[in-house]
Amino acid sequence: MKKMFGVLALAAVLLFAGAACNTSDDKPDETEKNTVAATNPATDPATDPVTDPATDPATEPETEPETEPATDPATEPETEPETEPETKEEIVMTEEQKELMKLVTPFWKGDTMHRESIIMVQREDGTITAKTLFKPTKIISIQSFDLKTEYVEGTDWTWDGTTNTITWVNGSSIPYFTENSLHGRNEDGTPFATFPEWDSQNRTTIGNAMYTVSPFLWERQINITYEYEGEWTGPKTEYQSEKLSKTLAKLKNGEDVHITFFGDSIFTGCDSSKMHNHEPYQDGFPVLVEKALEATYGSEVYVHNPSVGGQTSAWGKDSAQAEVCDKTEKLDLLFIGFGQNDAQLSGRRVAEAVRSAIDTIRAKYPDCEVVVVATLRANPDSGFCINQGSHAEMFQKYICEKRDNVALVDTFATHDALLATKDYMATSGNGINHPNDWFIRIHAMQLLSTLIEF
């Protein structure tokens, strides 16, 4: 694709798709939990052509005044304490919470992969195969996208026991992609449609990629659960006990914690199965994080989510006051994630806009701790993946190193590592630039790793 076409296609898709996961939020009642912006049911995200975000005046966070340790009045030596010191009540999880934690515990912390998304693809040699992230030692189950159908070994699939390749059996009921369909083409090589036009199955072609939020995509994303050996050599998000110490102290004490998720369409929860009202009705990662923190610590977690599909870091900078500060009364922790729609901007400019948004929010909430999230990799075949790979390094340099109590989650690097083995469509919710249910859970795993010592 010529460069000019790529730029025009990017602008058009982002403008169109921004409405898809658009959200808004009225001033929340602090007695109500999980004040999440309403999501418009459309196809999906993206952005308007980007204007330069202005570089902001940096303000260093204030330090809290030290307080003297309290001293108790003298007591008689022989006096026994009247009460035993309180101990925190042990958290007892419900079965639902246990199941949730199984799905959001980082896969690199165990030896079982739960419901990994795989896709069967007709390869160039004519075989139809799927690729797992690790080489299994035991396959526990392979299920349909909605978890209702158990595919049968020997009838639907085979595995030779030595590789990470699952093979489709002739006559299998497992749906599959062809190489043409992955690239937005019919079997005669013609495109499904040329964006912004759509075919009868709600599919279109952008660049050399299929773009759709429809059963054609998600019904072909099947789930595999298996045991494996070996270490994950990709990026691992670490426990941030120092940078997030205030939030962690509240969680460990069972206190209420107020969290804001502020970002683009990915932060709204696009394209979770729950958003599109189909089974298995999985939440987006902001809700998964909320539920997992409550299950782990027993705290009440209150979530505000003013994220808007199609928005850029410049919008985040300009809207931080109105969307975050003016609509919340308390804020302990901010998860902020912009950049997918800033493909044509340098990483430094994106970082400066995000830093400005953080500074605006901290002007009202000086004790607010922050996790900056670098966006996922857009489909390279779409023409949308330009500068997003530089964001994490610039976030580290221009935000984390210049502001206290700011942690970094590099989703782009994790996605890159997954794609060394995985097919892109096995991770995507729209074929272009959104996560599917499995990759949404990996987002949750990364964010939770900053706050839970798994």
Side-chain angles (χ1 to χ4, degrees):
M1 176 189 301
K2 294 182 180 179
K3 182 176 182 181
M4 179 59 68
F5 174 78
V7 172
L8 292 175
L10 174 62
V13 171
L14 300 183
L15 179 61
F16 173 82
C21 294
N22 193 16
T23 64
S24 63
D25 206 303
D26 295 326
K27 186 171 183 179
D29 181 346
E30 284 299 314
T31 63
E32 297 182 5
K33 287 186 72 271
N34 197 24
T35 311
V36 182
T39 306
N40 290 340
T43 51
D44 102 96
T47 87
D48 300 319
V50 181
T51 56
D52 291 53
T55 303
D56 59 281
T59 57
E60 295 298 331
E62 298 177 5
T63 57
E64 295 196 73
E66 295 184 3
T67 58
E68 293 296 324
T71 57
D72 295 325
T75 58
E76 296 294 334
E78 63 273 16
T79 303
E80 293 293 329
E82 295 182 3
T83 58
E84 294 293 324
E86 292 187 10
T87 57
K88 191 172 183 293
E89 187 175 333
E90 183 179 354
I91 305 300
V92 179
M93 293 187 189
T94 65
E95 289 304 312
E96 182 180 0
Q97 288 174 324
K98 290 178 182 177
E99 180 65 18
L100 168 67
M101 295 309 297
K102 183 170 69 176
L103 294 176
V104 298
T105 295
F107 64 80
W108 57 88
K109 293 288 186 178
D111 58 5
T112 302
M113 178 69 78
H114 296 281
R115 285 165 39 184
E116 176 185 334
S117 172
I118 59 174
I119 58 171
M120 290 285 186
V121 179
Q122 187 175 42
R123 311 292 174 178
E124 292 182 359
D125 64 1
T127 61
I128 300 174
T129 60
K131 304 172 185 176
T132 57
L133 184 60
F134 295 99
K135 184 177 75 174
T137 56
K138 176 185 177 182
I139 294 178
I140 297 170
S141 68
I142 299 182
Q143 299 170 293
S144 56
F145 76 99
D146 57 7
L147 309 178
K148 289 185 172 182
T149 301
E150 184 86 20
Y151 295 118
V152 179
E153 183 175 11
T155 300
D156 294 304
W157 57 272
T158 60
W159 172 58
D160 67 7
T162 65
T163 68
N164 70 328
T165 299
I166 312 299
T167 301
W168 189 84
V169 173
N170 188 35
S172 170
S173 59
I174 300 176
Y176 64 88
F177 290 102
T178 64
E179 286 290 346
N180 271 328
S181 63
L182 289 177
H183 295 99
R185 297 191 295 263
N186 298 300
E187 292 316 300
D188 62 3
T190 59
F192 292 152
T194 301
F195 184 81
E197 301 297 325
W198 304 85
D199 73 0
S200 61
Q201 297 186 65
N202 196 31
R203 304 174 303 180
T204 191
T205 306
I206 294 181
N208 195 30
M210 173 183 67
Y211 175 36
T212 186
V213 180
S214 70
F216 186 84
L217 174 58
W218 69 62
E219 287 181 356
R220 287 165 173 75
Q221 295 174 332
I222 61 177
N223 297 277
I224 182 169
T225 299
Y226 61 95
E227 296 175 0
Y228 65 91
E229 293 179 352
E231 293 291 323
W232 168 243
T233 58
K236 300 175 185 177
T237 304
E238 301 296 336
Y239 182 56
Q240 301 290 325
S241 58
E242 293 184 2
K243 293 181 179 179
L244 307 180
S245 59
K246 297 173 186 176
T247 303
L248 281 165
K250 285 193 168 186
L251 287 168
K252 290 177 179 180
N253 289 333
E255 300 175 40
D256 292 353
V257 173
H258 296 260
I259 298 177
T260 289
F261 289 84
F262 189 39
D264 53 27
S265 53
I266 295 170
F267 264 51
T268 70
C270 271
D271 279 299
S272 71
S273 55
K274 187 170 186 177
M275 174 193 164
H276 292 295
N277 197 32
H278 71 78
E279 294 177 294
Y281 303 110
Q282 181 184 290
D283 291 306
F285 66 83
V287 177
L288 295 179
V289 168
E290 172 199 350
K291 291 180 176 179
L293 290 176
E294 290 184 333
T296 301
Y297 292 109
S299 297
E300 285 286 341
V301 177
Y302 294 85
V303 168
H304 173 58
N305 191 343
S307 303
V308 175
Q311 292 298 353
T312 65
S313 57
W315 176 87
K317 176 191 66 143
D318 295 338
S319 302
Q321 181 66 44
E323 297 299 328
V324 179
C325 299
D326 294 349
K327 293 183 178 180
T328 55
E329 295 301 324
K330 298 178 182 179
L331 183 55
D332 299 302
L333 178 64
L334 171 70
F335 288 105
I336 186 166
F338 290 97
Q340 187 58 232
N341 301 316
D342 289 316
Q344 298 180 68
L345 293 183
S346 70
R348 176 170 179 171
R349 286 168 58 194
V350 175
E352 288 173 342
V354 172
R355 187 181 68 193
S356 180
I358 293 169
D359 288 346
T360 296
I361 293 166
R362 277 186 164 173
K364 179 176 180 181
Y365 305 106
D367 292 333
C368 171
E369 296 173 325
V370 181
V371 178
V372 182
V373 183
T375 192
L376 56 78
R377 173 183 274 282
N379 189 337
D381 292 330
S382 69
F384 287 177
C385 192
I386 303 173
N387 290 325
Q388 294 98 322
S390 68
H391 293 179
E393 180 183 358
M394 295 297 101
F395 290 167
Q396 177 64 33
K397 182 175 181 179
Y398 291 102
I399 304 176
C400 299
E401 293 178 7
K402 293 182 180 295
R403 300 292 183 267
D404 294 332
N405 302 105
V406 180
L408 174 66
V409 169
D410 189 352
T411 307
F412 192 97
T414 298
H415 202 185
D416 251 3
L418 294 174
L419 295 175
T421 303
K422 303 283 294 178
D423 295 295
Y424 189 90
M425 288 296 175
T427 70
S428 183
N430 65 357
I432 300 293
N433 58 358
H434 282 170
N436 65 357
D437 275 359
W438 180 57
F439 198 23
I440 283 171
R441 285 194 282 115
I442 291 178
H443 278 69
M445 292 174 194
Q446 291 180 293
L447 271 56
L448 289 167
S449 290
T450 66
L451 293 164
I452 300 174
E453 198 168 13
F454 287 101

